[in-house]
Amino acid sequence: MSSASIPAVLSIAGSDSGGGAGIQADLKAFARCGVHGMTAITAITVQNTVEVRGVEPVSPETIVGQVRAVAEDIGVDAVKVGMLGDVATIEAVARAIGELPSGTPVVVDPVMVAESGARLLRPEAQAALVERVLPLATVVTPNLPEARALAGPSAGDDAEALARAVHALGPASVVVTGGHRDEAIDLFYDGEQMVAIPGERYPDGAAHGSGCTHSSALAAHLAHGYAPLEAARAARVIAGDAVRDGLRELGRGAGPVDVLGLSVRDRDGDPAPPARR
């Protein structure tokens, strides 16, 4: 753990060159939640708001090295895991997490498909994700399609049944997020209690990076000492506000969320940052 008064949270995830999702979204969410953000990049994506043009995995040795470097010097109070991509990356991340102190909170966002529709997890890697990473999770945060993919067709489409099925794969608790449900209600399940976490739906908002923002905010609150359910409630509010304030006018595709309230400050007439000399 970090010895500093400000918690230090590590994102193990891919880089989004458009700045809307991935580690870029994670670092914004960490700042919003008052923690120091650190990164171990798993892949470089070539993308914008419209499409993913390419993905280049980072070597397993470099992934593990990034985690070791920050853990040995700064310490890690919580981990958020995002895009993993392939089996070699999953194996490296599982090994790196295994080297962290026992009890370090781990939030896993099982990223499979980008907002643009591009697949970010190779089909053959899904079994490795289930076997090697999900059992390490304090909380796993699938959306409804991801929960269906993880649980398998026998689990059906009911969100509560899916939450139970994903929990049976090994994580300590599950949050099935509500963005793809008829009502924007997250479901939290820890093997004992099934709790609905309601929130507003913002159809006119911008949602690129919403899953990354939610899981990062949840990890940040765990680092602050929140229990998983309370961290999930706080993350739901932060992610919802970020979608509501999303930057719809930015780019030609799905606009990114705005977790830092840039659009709100602009509407309120706050001065713009000074121009560079």
Side-chain angles (χ1 to χ4, degrees):
M1 296 183 66
S2 167
S3 61
S5 58
I6 298 174
V9 183
L10 171 65
S11 169
I12 305 176
S15 171
D16 174 0
S17 54
I23 61 162
Q24 287 82 355
D26 297 343
L27 288 173
K28 295 172 195 176
F30 292 159
R32 164 67 176 78
C33 296
V35 301
H36 173 67
M38 308 172 294
T39 63
I41 300 173
T42 59
I44 308 298
T45 71
V46 181
Q47 67 173 297
N48 51 33
T49 65
V50 178
E51 61 184 340
V52 178
R53 297 180 179 177
V55 176
E56 182 171 339
V58 172
S59 73
E61 294 78 12
T62 300
I63 293 170
V64 174
Q66 291 174 90
V67 176
R68 286 174 177 164
V70 299
E72 291 170 4
D73 177 43
I74 301 169
V76 177
D77 293 301
V79 178
K80 175 264 171 80
V81 178
M83 175 187 172
L84 298 180
D86 58 23
V87 173
T89 297
I90 289 168
E91 294 289 346
V93 169
R95 178 155 51 100
I97 291 174
E99 294 181 3
L100 296 176
S102 177
T104 302
V106 177
V107 176
V108 176
D109 180 12
V111 176
M112 297 181 182
V113 179
E115 190 77 17
S116 63
R119 188 168 183 94
L120 298 177
L121 180 70
R122 293 181 181 176
E124 68 274 14
Q126 185 170 310
L129 174 67
V130 170
E131 294 169 7
R132 299 286 284 124
V133 176
L134 289 198
L136 304 176
T138 309
V139 186
V140 61
T141 63
N143 59 33
L144 203 61
E146 291 164 346
R148 289 192 193 107
L150 292 171
S154 62
D157 290 329
D158 177 72
E160 290 193 7
L162 288 170
R164 290 188 174 93
V166 174
H167 181 265
L169 299 174
S173 53
V174 178
V175 178
V176 178
T177 59
H180 292 76
R181 301 181 64 197
D182 292 337
E183 296 182 355
I185 298 174
D186 293 357
L187 275 181
F188 174 92
Y189 182 63
D190 63 0
E192 297 182 359
Q193 55 181 340
M194 182 78 68
V195 181
I197 305 175
E200 295 291 327
R201 184 182 296 283
Y202 300 105
D204 295 327
H208 182 49
S210 57
C212 304
T213 298
H214 173 269
S215 54
S216 295
L218 205 162
H221 280 80
L222 292 178
H224 278 301
Y226 283 55
L229 175 56
E230 296 311 310
R233 285 181 168 136
R236 176 64 185 85
V237 173
I238 289 170
D241 289 352
V243 171
R244 178 197 63 199
D245 300 331
L247 305 175
R248 295 176 294 278
E249 73 285 355
L250 201 155
R252 294 179 290 108
V257 298
D258 179 12
V259 73
L260 296 176
L262 302 176
S263 60
V264 175
R265 290 203 294 271
D266 182 61
R267 288 197 302 270
D268 291 344
D270 286 0
R276 292 188 299 172
R277 294 183 178 180

mmCIF file of all heavy atoms in Angstrom, residues 25 50 56 63 65 92 102 129 139 141 170 174 180 194 200 209 212 236 241 255 266 273:
data_model
loop_
_atom_site.group_PDB
_atom_site.id
_atom_site.type_symbol
_atom_site.label_atom_id
_atom_site.label_comp_id
_atom_site.label_asym_id
_atom_site.label_seq_id
_atom_site.Cartn_x
_atom_site.Cartn_y
_atom_site.Cartn_z
ATOM 1 N N ALA A 25 -9.365 7.881 -19.724
ATOM 2 C CA ALA A 25 -10.576 8.048 -18.922
ATOM 3 C C ALA A 25 -10.315 7.708 -17.457
ATOM 4 O O ALA A 25 -10.827 8.370 -16.548
ATOM 5 C CB ALA A 25 -11.695 7.173 -19.474
ATOM 6 N N VAL A 50 -14.911 7.587 -33.816
ATOM 7 C CA VAL A 50 -15.655 6.862 -34.841
ATOM 8 C C VAL A 50 -15.268 5.391 -34.912
ATOM 9 O O VAL A 50 -16.121 4.513 -35.075
ATOM 10 C CB VAL A 50 -15.452 7.516 -36.227
ATOM 11 C CG1 VAL A 50 -16.186 6.751 -37.318
ATOM 12 C CG2 VAL A 50 -15.896 8.974 -36.196
ATOM 13 N N GLU A 56 -2.098 -2.509 -30.817
ATOM 14 C CA GLU A 56 -0.763 -3.098 -30.677
ATOM 15 C C GLU A 56 -0.535 -3.469 -29.219
ATOM 16 O O GLU A 56 -0.384 -2.584 -28.369
ATOM 17 C CB GLU A 56 0.322 -2.137 -31.148
ATOM 18 C CG GLU A 56 1.714 -2.740 -31.071
ATOM 19 C CD GLU A 56 2.762 -1.868 -31.753
ATOM 20 O OE1 GLU A 56 2.399 -1.041 -32.604
ATOM 21 O OE2 GLU A 56 3.942 -2.045 -31.425
ATOM 22 N N ILE A 63 4.443 -5.114 -19.296
ATOM 23 C CA ILE A 63 3.259 -4.959 -18.438
ATOM 24 C C ILE A 63 3.613 -5.263 -16.990
ATOM 25 O O ILE A 63 3.340 -4.467 -16.080
ATOM 26 C CB ILE A 63 2.119 -5.883 -18.922
ATOM 27 C CG1 ILE A 63 1.621 -5.432 -20.291
ATOM 28 C CG2 ILE A 63 0.964 -5.883 -17.911
ATOM 29 C CD1 ILE A 63 0.678 -6.413 -20.954
ATOM 30 N N GLY A 65 6.549 -5.312 -15.672
ATOM 31 C CA GLY A 65 7.541 -4.342 -15.219
ATOM 32 C C GLY A 65 6.918 -3.030 -14.778
ATOM 33 O O GLY A 65 7.363 -2.418 -13.793
ATOM 34 N N ALA A 92 0.028 -12.189 -18.010
ATOM 35 C CA ALA A 92 0.948 -11.223 -17.404
ATOM 36 C C ALA A 92 0.260 -10.419 -16.306
ATOM 37 O O ALA A 92 0.837 -10.181 -15.237
ATOM 38 C CB ALA A 92 1.496 -10.286 -18.480
ATOM 39 N N SER A 102 -1.400 -8.977 -0.394
ATOM 40 C CA SER A 102 -2.691 -9.624 -0.231
ATOM 41 C C SER A 102 -3.719 -8.632 0.307
ATOM 42 O O SER A 102 -3.424 -7.833 1.200
ATOM 43 C CB SER A 102 -2.559 -10.800 0.743
ATOM 44 O OG SER A 102 -3.799 -11.398 0.982
ATOM 45 N N LEU A 129 -9.582 -14.959 -19.336
ATOM 46 C CA LEU A 129 -10.064 -13.876 -18.477
ATOM 47 C C LEU A 129 -10.877 -14.449 -17.318
ATOM 48 O O LEU A 129 -10.692 -14.065 -16.157
ATOM 49 C CB LEU A 129 -10.914 -12.906 -19.294
ATOM 50 C CG LEU A 129 -11.620 -11.787 -18.517
ATOM 51 C CD1 LEU A 129 -10.606 -10.814 -17.937
ATOM 52 C CD2 LEU A 129 -12.607 -11.052 -19.423
ATOM 53 N N VAL A 139 -14.321 -6.616 -7.118
ATOM 54 C CA VAL A 139 -15.568 -6.296 -7.820
ATOM 55 C C VAL A 139 -15.312 -6.442 -9.311
ATOM 56 O O VAL A 139 -14.288 -5.976 -9.812
ATOM 57 C CB VAL A 139 -16.044 -4.844 -7.536
ATOM 58 C CG1 VAL A 139 -17.423 -4.609 -8.162
ATOM 59 C CG2 VAL A 139 -16.068 -4.535 -6.053
ATOM 60 N N THR A 141 -17.256 -5.537 -13.048
ATOM 61 C CA THR A 141 -18.285 -4.571 -13.434
ATOM 62 C C THR A 141 -18.734 -4.743 -14.887
ATOM 63 O O THR A 141 -18.597 -3.822 -15.699
ATOM 64 C CB THR A 141 -17.773 -3.133 -13.230
ATOM 65 O OG1 THR A 141 -16.636 -2.912 -14.093
ATOM 66 C CG2 THR A 141 -17.380 -2.879 -11.787
ATOM 67 N N GLY A 170 -16.101 -16.525 -9.542
ATOM 68 C CA GLY A 170 -15.002 -16.301 -8.607
ATOM 69 C C GLY A 170 -14.808 -14.927 -8.006
ATOM 70 O O GLY A 170 -14.130 -14.813 -6.981
ATOM 71 N N VAL A 174 -20.101 -8.470 -7.690
ATOM 72 C CA VAL A 174 -20.395 -8.155 -9.084
ATOM 73 C C VAL A 174 -21.296 -6.927 -9.135
ATOM 74 O O VAL A 174 -22.223 -6.796 -8.317
ATOM 75 C CB VAL A 174 -21.127 -9.329 -9.783
ATOM 76 C CG1 VAL A 174 -21.469 -8.975 -11.229
ATOM 77 C CG2 VAL A 174 -20.295 -10.602 -9.715
ATOM 78 N N HIS A 180 -27.181 -0.771 -20.507
ATOM 79 C CA HIS A 180 -27.819 -1.525 -21.575
ATOM 80 C C HIS A 180 -29.149 -2.145 -21.133
ATOM 81 O O HIS A 180 -29.722 -2.949 -21.859
ATOM 82 C CB HIS A 180 -26.886 -2.633 -22.074
ATOM 83 C CG HIS A 180 -25.677 -2.139 -22.791
ATOM 84 N ND1 HIS A 180 -24.594 -1.599 -22.137
ATOM 85 C CD2 HIS A 180 -25.381 -2.078 -24.126
ATOM 86 C CE1 HIS A 180 -23.672 -1.253 -23.025
ATOM 87 N NE2 HIS A 180 -24.125 -1.532 -24.222
ATOM 88 N N MET A 194 -28.518 -8.898 -2.979
ATOM 89 C CA MET A 194 -28.725 -8.359 -4.317
ATOM 90 C C MET A 194 -29.328 -6.971 -4.135
ATOM 91 O O MET A 194 -30.442 -6.827 -3.616
ATOM 92 C CB MET A 194 -29.669 -9.244 -5.120
ATOM 93 C CG MET A 194 -29.904 -8.790 -6.554
ATOM 94 S SD MET A 194 -28.541 -9.197 -7.687
ATOM 95 C CE MET A 194 -28.661 -10.994 -7.745
ATOM 96 N N GLU A 200 -30.296 7.977 -13.013
ATOM 97 C CA GLU A 200 -30.958 8.585 -14.160
ATOM 98 C C GLU A 200 -30.342 8.082 -15.456
ATOM 99 O O GLU A 200 -29.154 7.772 -15.522
ATOM 100 C CB GLU A 200 -30.825 10.109 -14.099
ATOM 101 C CG GLU A 200 -31.532 10.761 -12.910
ATOM 102 C CD GLU A 200 -33.029 10.671 -13.025
ATOM 103 O OE1 GLU A 200 -33.542 10.712 -14.171
ATOM 104 O OE2 GLU A 200 -33.701 10.538 -11.978
ATOM 105 N N GLY A 209 -16.477 5.851 -22.837
ATOM 106 C CA GLY A 209 -15.662 5.878 -21.630
ATOM 107 C C GLY A 209 -16.452 5.748 -20.344
ATOM 108 O O GLY A 209 -15.874 5.812 -19.258
ATOM 109 N N CYS A 212 -15.313 2.646 -18.277
ATOM 110 C CA CYS A 212 -13.994 2.897 -17.693
ATOM 111 C C CYS A 212 -14.107 3.843 -16.498
ATOM 112 O O CYS A 212 -13.480 3.639 -15.450
ATOM 113 C CB CYS A 212 -13.057 3.503 -18.733
ATOM 114 S SG CYS A 212 -12.856 2.534 -20.243
ATOM 115 N N ARG A 236 -21.706 4.910 -9.386
ATOM 116 C CA ARG A 236 -22.889 5.091 -10.227
ATOM 117 C C ARG A 236 -23.214 6.570 -10.400
ATOM 118 O O ARG A 236 -23.551 7.017 -11.507
ATOM 119 C CB ARG A 236 -24.094 4.351 -9.612
ATOM 120 C CG ARG A 236 -25.423 4.555 -10.349
ATOM 121 C CD ARG A 236 -25.357 3.987 -11.741
ATOM 122 N NE ARG A 236 -26.548 4.244 -12.523
ATOM 123 C CZ ARG A 236 -26.792 5.344 -13.226
ATOM 124 N NH1 ARG A 236 -25.900 6.337 -13.212
ATOM 125 N NH2 ARG A 236 -27.889 5.471 -13.937
ATOM 126 N N ASP A 241 -23.231 11.261 -13.907
ATOM 127 C CA ASP A 241 -22.990 12.689 -14.139
ATOM 128 C C ASP A 241 -22.049 12.902 -15.317
ATOM 129 O O ASP A 241 -22.210 13.857 -16.098
ATOM 130 C CB ASP A 241 -22.403 13.338 -12.888
ATOM 131 C CG ASP A 241 -23.411 13.464 -11.756
ATOM 132 O OD1 ASP A 241 -24.606 13.187 -11.986
ATOM 133 O OD2 ASP A 241 -22.984 13.815 -10.631
ATOM 134 N N GLY A 255 -19.430 10.707 -28.483
ATOM 135 C CA GLY A 255 -18.652 11.661 -27.705
ATOM 136 C C GLY A 255 -18.210 11.077 -26.376
ATOM 137 O O GLY A 255 -18.850 10.172 -25.827
ATOM 138 N N ASP A 266 -17.792 25.476 -18.686
ATOM 139 C CA ASP A 266 -17.951 26.302 -19.878
ATOM 140 C C ASP A 266 -19.321 26.965 -19.911
ATOM 141 O O ASP A 266 -19.451 28.145 -20.225
ATOM 142 C CB ASP A 266 -17.749 25.437 -21.128
ATOM 143 C CG ASP A 266 -17.847 26.246 -22.413
ATOM 144 O OD1 ASP A 266 -17.028 27.155 -22.577
ATOM 145 O OD2 ASP A 266 -18.746 25.967 -23.226
ATOM 146 N N PRO A 273 -8.718 28.201 -19.729
ATOM 147 C CA PRO A 273 -7.309 28.191 -19.337
ATOM 148 C C PRO A 273 -6.519 29.216 -20.139
ATOM 149 O O PRO A 273 -6.870 29.535 -21.279
ATOM 150 C CB PRO A 273 -6.869 26.764 -19.684
ATOM 151 C CG PRO A 273 -8.123 25.964 -19.744
ATOM 152 C CD PRO A 273 -9.179 26.903 -20.221
#
